[in-house]
Amino acid sequence: MVEEGNVETGNKAVEEDKEHNCFWAPIDWLRMLASETHWSFVFGVVSVYGISQGLGGALARVGTEYYMKDVQKVQPSELQVYSGIISIPWIVKPIWGLLTDVVSIGGYRRRPYFILSGLLALVPMLLISLHSKLHLVFALLALTGGSAAVAISDVTIDACVVQNSISHPSLATDMQSLCNLMSAIGALVGFFISGVFVHLVGPKGVFGLLTIPAALVFFVGIILSEPHVPDFAYKEIDQKFIDAGKAMWTTLKCPEVWRPCLYMYLSFALSLNINEGLFYWYTDSKGGPSFSQETIGYIFSIGAVGAILGAILYQNKLKDEPFRDLLFWIQLFYGLTGMLDLMLVLRINLKFGVPDYLFVVIGEAATQMIWRLKWMPLLVLTAKLCPSGIEGTFFALLMSIDNFGLLSSSWGGGLLLHLLNVTRTNFENLWLAILIRNILRLSPLGILFLVPRGDPSSSILPAKMLSSKDEEAEESKNVELVSLVNSSDGR
């Protein structure tokens, strides 16, 4: 009896230790990162990835859609075009990357850009939230300025992450995990509360709330621990820009590089984005299900959960699969999941007794999971296309190509909605727009030959591009702008 009592006591102690470790492990992990790097760096990652991009990006997406629909009274096809214009700052990410790498301000390389991005986001958010009748052109300029602010802070925090990865190579994966985790949690929380805030304070009030993430990014620039380097050689800036441009052009001319780049652009551009047309239909009280603001936010939050599940599935089961084989099945399923939207608009789900809300939630989760499964291998492929010496800037360039594909997708979707006369109140041809979009989603299967057959562990670039005489010297000067989140947003 004594032995049995000791065993039970020991088991309880073990279980208590496990519960204690599960609770404190994340906190201990953050403390470790803060002590090895600096607490201001961890605060910067949480502020930029978690609050500015994750939570703020989710609030901005829902707020922008309702602002354009209810305040500016634009058509869904117009909103598609305007959404593309707002995303343009993400297409020119290499410019922000070159500036943060090459141009020092006041002896600092990172802090001034956080301060600039914070101010650049603060002013337009205040303008939209306080102005009662802001003209559409000025509203677009303000939203584009806010997008540019987030893009600049994204590139700058990426530079800080890679800089710390170089000085602490054993913590490189931990820092990337921290970035992805903060972004995912922020987006999940942001979408969950977005509809509630739109309902309580309206879309303009949501933009007022977005001044808080902007102020946090500004504060990051004030407190960030960074060495001061006086006597910056401004005369060498022009030559550095020229050298970087020549190196990138030489690399792009390589068939092993431009062929997969062409595939990535076309695969995004051909998958037309008609989300704004669907959003207008979701909220329509006559032809659509008339979802409330809260319901829209909850639907997007479930989509964020699906994206997290997709990332987990890729990391644990699919990360070693050959690029071409994996992208074939993912693109195929991506086209098939689009049929869920077609069934919803044609009201087929009601014939089977499935409520609209449940059907939309299932479709959003499946679509976002498949999208993340497509995005992650393309990120890995992009990283493997970057030559030695200009890894960071070239990675930003390739990400810009992807973003340009997303812009083409948004504008192409807007044109399709316009041609089919899908308006704020007329959704008669929305089903046809969805069908055309689904067919085009399958079209990248015909150009998969542009993607290399190799798996993620094999080399893609020619041997001469994999090494450089000045590799070690460049590594200390050149900061890789490795952005594995983006989000979301598809972005």
Side-chain angles (χ1 to χ4, degrees):
M1 295 294 293
V2 176
E3 291 181 357
E4 290 179 0
N6 291 337
V7 170
E8 291 178 359
T9 303
N11 290 338
K12 290 181 179 179
V14 171
E15 291 177 359
E16 290 177 357
D17 288 339
K18 288 182 178 179
E19 293 177 358
H20 179 272
N21 290 334
C22 290
F23 178 79
W24 288 103
I27 298 177
D28 292 337
W29 180 57
L30 289 175
R31 287 177 177 174
M32 180 272 294
L33 287 175
S35 62
E36 292 292 332
T37 55
H38 193 269
W39 68 267
S40 63
F41 165 73
V42 176
F43 178 79
V45 171
V46 174
S47 299
V48 176
Y49 272 106
I51 300 177
S52 178
Q53 289 191 40
L55 190 147
L59 287 174
R61 177 184 172 184
V62 178
T64 300
E65 290 185 333
Y66 276 102
Y67 176 76
M68 289 295 185
K69 175 178 178 289
D70 298 335
V71 179
Q72 295 293 344
K73 307 293 185 180
V74 303
Q75 298 293 348
S77 58
E78 295 174 333
L79 182 51
Q80 290 282 166
V81 176
Y82 298 151
S83 298
I85 293 174
I86 295 170
S87 68
I88 286 177
W90 291 86
I91 297 176
V92 295
K93 279 184 69 174
I95 296 177
W96 317 132
L98 283 172
L99 287 174
T100 58
D101 276 351
V102 174
V103 182
S104 175
I105 301 176
Y108 294 101
R109 300 177 66 193
R110 314 299 175 200
R111 294 175 63 180
Y113 292 97
F114 283 123
I115 294 174
L116 172 65
S117 62
L119 290 175
L120 189 58
L122 187 65
V123 174
M125 295 303 102
L126 284 174
L127 178 64
I128 295 176
S129 62
L130 298 178
H131 200 288
S132 58
K133 295 181 180 179
L134 189 62
H135 192 277
L136 178 60
V137 173
F138 294 108
L140 277 176
L141 289 175
L143 291 171
T144 305
S147 177
V150 179
I152 293 172
S153 64
D154 170 76
V155 168
T156 309
I157 196 63
D158 283 342
C160 295
V161 169
V162 179
Q163 205 165 25
N164 279 296
S165 298
I166 293 173
S167 58
H168 302 83
S170 61
L171 299 178
T173 55
D174 291 275
M175 284 183 272
Q176 287 294 341
S177 297
L178 176 65
C179 295
N180 282 272
L181 182 63
M182 291 298 102
S183 178
I185 294 176
L188 180 60
V189 175
F191 280 127
F192 190 77
I193 66 175
S194 60
V196 176
F197 278 109
V198 170
H199 177 74
L200 293 177
V201 299
K204 292 171 62 178
V206 170
F207 286 113
L209 293 174
L210 289 176
T211 58
I212 298 175
L216 276 176
V217 173
F218 179 88
F219 187 60
V220 170
I222 300 296
I223 66 171
L224 184 68
S225 176
E226 182 184 17
H228 182 261
V229 183
D231 302 326
F232 179 74
Y234 287 97
K235 295 181 179 179
E236 299 179 4
I237 292 178
D238 292 342
Q239 188 58 45
K240 290 182 179 180
F241 275 108
I242 293 173
D243 292 341
K246 289 180 179 179
M248 287 190 291
W249 175 244
T250 300
T251 305
L252 278 175
K253 292 190 296 183
C254 178
E256 289 85 352
V257 176
W258 70 258
R259 287 165 61 91
C261 286
L262 180 60
Y263 169 80
M264 287 188 282
Y265 168 76
L266 291 176
S267 69
F268 287 121
L270 291 174
S271 301
L272 295 185
N273 177 1
I274 57 171
N275 290 340
E276 309 307 341
L278 285 169
F279 168 73
Y280 276 62
W281 182 79
Y282 285 163
T283 57
D284 187 69
S285 58
K286 296 181 179 179
S290 188
F291 290 144
S292 65
Q293 292 98 330
E294 295 91 341
T295 302
I296 291 294
Y298 298 152
I299 290 172
F300 287 157
S301 67
I302 297 299
V305 173
I308 295 174
L309 292 176
I312 295 173
L313 178 61
Y314 177 79
Q315 177 66 24
N316 290 282
K317 298 294 183 181
L318 303 174
K319 65 179 181 179
D320 296 323
E321 295 296 323
F323 289 118
R324 192 181 295 183
D325 295 344
L326 181 59
L327 289 173
F328 172 83
W329 290 107
I330 290 175
Q331 197 68 44
L332 180 62
F333 282 114
Y334 190 48
L336 294 177
T337 55
M339 293 299 175
L340 295 176
D341 291 331
L342 184 62
M343 294 175 64
L344 180 70
V345 170
L346 294 177
R347 319 306 281 153
I348 296 177
N349 61 296
L350 297 179
K351 296 179 180 179
F352 290 96
V354 182
D356 289 330
Y357 176 74
L358 178 60
F359 201 78
V360 172
V361 164
I362 295 173
E364 183 70 12
T367 300
Q368 293 302 320
M369 183 178 70
I370 296 297
W371 173 262
R372 183 55 60 98
L373 286 173
K374 175 182 177 179
W375 180 246
M376 294 190 72
L378 291 180
L379 282 174
V380 176
L381 177 60
T382 299
K384 296 185 76 64
L385 296 177
C386 298
S388 177
I390 56 168
E391 302 95 332
T393 306
F394 198 77
F395 188 93
L397 173 66
L398 297 186
M399 293 301 295
S400 297
I401 294 175
D402 293 346
N403 287 327
F404 186 61
L406 295 174
L407 173 64
S408 303
S409 169
S410 182
W411 285 356
L415 178 61
L416 178 63
L417 293 175
H418 177 73
L419 293 175
L420 295 178
N421 195 32
V422 177
T423 66
R424 294 169 53 86
T425 56
N426 181 18
F427 303 99
E428 183 178 352
N429 291 326
L430 181 59
W431 70 272
L432 182 57
I434 296 173
L435 181 61
I436 294 173
R437 180 204 64 179
N438 294 344
I439 295 174
L440 288 176
R441 276 186 179 182
L442 297 175
S443 59
L445 295 174
I447 55 174
L448 270 173
F449 64 89
L450 296 171
V451 179
R453 289 185 175 275
D455 57 65
S457 62
S458 61
S459 299
I460 297 176
L461 293 177
K464 63 181 179 180
M465 291 187 179
L466 295 175
S467 60
S468 174
K469 295 179 181 179
D470 299 324
E471 184 173 354
E472 294 182 2
E474 287 292 331
E475 187 179 46
S476 63
K477 293 188 290 184
N478 199 39
V479 178
E480 296 173 279
L481 309 177
V482 184
S483 176
L484 297 180
V485 179
N486 240 337
S487 259
S488 79
D489 319 306
R491 119 160 6 186

